[in-house]
Amino acid sequence: MTITQDAPARTDFVALAEELAERFGSRAAEHDAAGSFPHENVAELVSSGYTAMTVPREHGGGGAELEELCRAQETLATGCASTAFAVNMHVHGIAMIAGIGGPAAERAYRAIVDDGAVIAGGFSEPGVGGNWWHPTTKAEPVEGGYLLNGRKGFFTGFPAADLLFLSAARTDDRGLPEPVGFLVPKPERGVSVTAEWDAAGMRATGSHSLLLDDLFVADAHMVGQPGALPLMFMQGVHWAWCSFASVFLGIARGALETVVREQRGRTLHVLDRTVAHLPGVQFRVAEMRTRLAAAEAHLYQSVRADHDRAIAEDPLGHYIEMSVMKNSVCRLAHEVVSLAMQVQGGSALMSAHPLQRAYRDVVAGLLVPPNSDVTAEWAGKHALGVPVFAEPRWEG
């Protein structure tokens, strides 16, 4: 007789995020004020299995699909947006790496599931902006691997990272730059922090600036084949942009919940009832709900799209569509929080009030590449049949 064991119970990551968000929210103001990295939050994300959410089930992870990831991240951001933003680099990064597969991905699965490893990604560089498939970091071939030299900015989650997901460019047989990706154990030498993160918003994300100085990376740490980095972005952009958008949607949802709760219990001496009875408050809250619903609809319509088909038919169009969605959701989220500030009034500017932190955090969504004007240009050109990446961009 053959005895089969039941598969381990599957984690409800949205419910887990709700539980974690409550605890993280109690520490968010302290970390925001100090600009300190929430190491204790990341430790809880690891110990709870949250960081294994997007590792495939056959490799011991949660096997979460895109919608569950986004719902969980949206929920987590209502408690601490910085923590949600920082861990997003990890959870969507492993999903994108899984799309390419290979030995580097399998080693990452084991490190995450068995050892609680955390990934931080480094694609932003000075002078590159959102054109991440054109890295200026140089990868010079040496025996057994490469030496990497360059600078990385906005390396979110670096203080907690065990693995660094790095981009660089080597020279191909034609003498042209060829983008490559590496997943590297955090080294003791070759990487240094040139500027610690000190910003107006998302203050607890640890998005430091780094210098790569003759960082040796073994051949085995290359992700996919040489030149596969742009394809990874095209194929996995829905994991990245949908999950990023969900964080800012969560900030907006938290702002609406805060405003509704406070106006229901807030009174003025000239009224014999709560501020919730004022038409101006009602109109703005209604507008907040309307814009939040529009953001949610756009995000989850994109989440549920047939991504495999879209990638097969038009990978560039898929990338542009996801970029348009990300910018749309982030703009609407910013508008929701701005309305929340107006409803709350001057007290929302006080450092002790959570809305001022939400306002500073949500604006980051407008700044995460690709920015709105570049995205609009791409979308317009693609719709009109004009070459999207032709240079110079304009004549005359």
Side-chain angles (χ1 to χ4, degrees), residues 203-221:
R203 286 179 51 76
T205 58
S207 301
H208 299 341
S209 297
L210 306 180
L211 172 67
L212 309 184
D213 184 13
D214 280 346
L215 171 64
F216 176 74
V217 179
D219 286 321
H221 294 306

Side-chain angles (χ1 to χ4, degrees), residues 319-370:
Y319 187 91
I320 293 172
E321 184 176 347
M322 293 298 108
S323 301
V324 168
M325 177 279 301
K326 191 274 293 180
N327 278 288
S328 171
V329 171
C330 290
R331 185 183 69 251
L332 288 165
H334 181 262
E335 292 171 1
V336 169
V337 180
S338 297
L339 285 165
M341 296 288 287
Q342 295 175 48
V343 173
Q344 188 66 28
S347 62
L349 288 175
M350 303 303 291
S351 60
H353 202 283
L355 280 181
Q356 57 80 26
R357 184 174 70 253
Y359 187 74
R360 289 183 288 106
D361 286 345
V362 79
V363 75
L366 304 178
L367 308 177
V368 174

Side-chain angles (χ1 to χ4, degrees), residues 370-386:
N371 62 33
S372 57
D373 61 335
V374 172
T375 300
E377 180 190 338
W378 290 347
K381 284 180 173 178
H382 190 261
L384 293 166
V386 175

Side-chain angles (χ1 to χ4, degrees), residues 258-266 274-276 281 285 343-344:
T258 296
V259 161
V260 168
R261 182 176 61 252
E262 295 208 5
Q263 305 322 300
R264 284 176 172 173
R266 192 178 178 198
T274 66
V275 174
V281 170
V285 168
V343 173
Q344 188 66 28

Side-chain angles (χ1 to χ4, degrees), residues 105-340:
E106 293 183 6
R107 283 197 302 273
Y109 300 152
R110 291 195 298 271
I112 292 166
V113 173
D114 297 341
D115 304 322
V118 174
I119 296 172
F123 304 112
S124 293
E125 298 178 347
V128 171
N131 296 309
W132 293 329
W133 43 86
H134 297 299
T136 59
T137 296
K138 302 299 183 184
E140 179 187 354
V142 294
E143 185 176 355
Y146 295 85
L147 287 180
L148 270 55
N149 285 279
R151 293 183 180 273
K152 298 291 183 179
F154 308 111
F155 211 102
T156 299
F158 181 77
D162 303 292
L163 297 169
L164 307 182
F165 192 12
L166 298 166
S167 60
R170 70 175 198 176
T171 302
D172 67 12
D173 295 337
R174 301 167 297 172
L176 299 175
E178 183 176 51
V180 288
F182 300 98
L183 192 60
V184 187
K186 194 174 187 177
E188 294 184 1
R189 57 186 300 178
V191 178
S192 58
V193 174
T194 57
E196 293 194 357
W197 180 244
D198 184 11
M202 290 292 184
R203 286 179 51 76
T205 58
S207 301
H208 299 341
S209 297
L210 306 180
L211 172 67
L212 309 184
D213 184 13
D214 280 346
L215 171 64
F216 176 74
V217 179
D219 286 321
H221 294 306
M222 183 179 292
V223 176
Q225 298 299 315
L229 198 63
L231 181 62
M232 186 197 74
F233 285 132
M234 294 287 184
Q235 291 180 336
V237 67
H238 48 285
W239 286 99
W241 290 167
C242 289
S243 59
F244 271 129
S246 69
V247 170
F248 295 98
L249 181 65
I251 297 172
R253 187 175 302 284
L256 174 59
E257 292 171 356
T258 296
V259 161
V260 168
R261 182 176 61 252
E262 295 208 5
Q263 305 322 300
R264 284 176 172 173
R266 192 178 178 198
T267 59
L268 297 177
H269 288 303
V270 295
L271 295 177
D272 61 353
R273 59 192 69 188
T274 66
V275 174
H277 290 81
L278 291 174
V281 170
Q282 295 166 3
F283 296 162
R284 285 192 174 94
V285 168
E287 186 61 31
M288 290 173 68
R289 291 191 63 183
T290 300
R291 297 185 192 198
L292 190 67
E296 182 177 26
H298 199 169
L299 170 59
Y300 288 103
Q301 175 188 348
S302 297
V303 165
R304 297 172 190 139
D306 187 342
H307 300 291
D308 290 340
R309 179 178 178 181
I311 292 165
E313 293 180 352
D314 185 4
L316 177 58
H318 176 64
Y319 187 91
I320 293 172
E321 184 176 347
M322 293 298 108
S323 301
V324 168
M325 177 279 301
K326 191 274 293 180
N327 278 288
S328 171
V329 171
C330 290
R331 185 183 69 251
L332 288 165
H334 181 262
E335 292 171 1
V336 169
V337 180
S338 297
L339 285 165

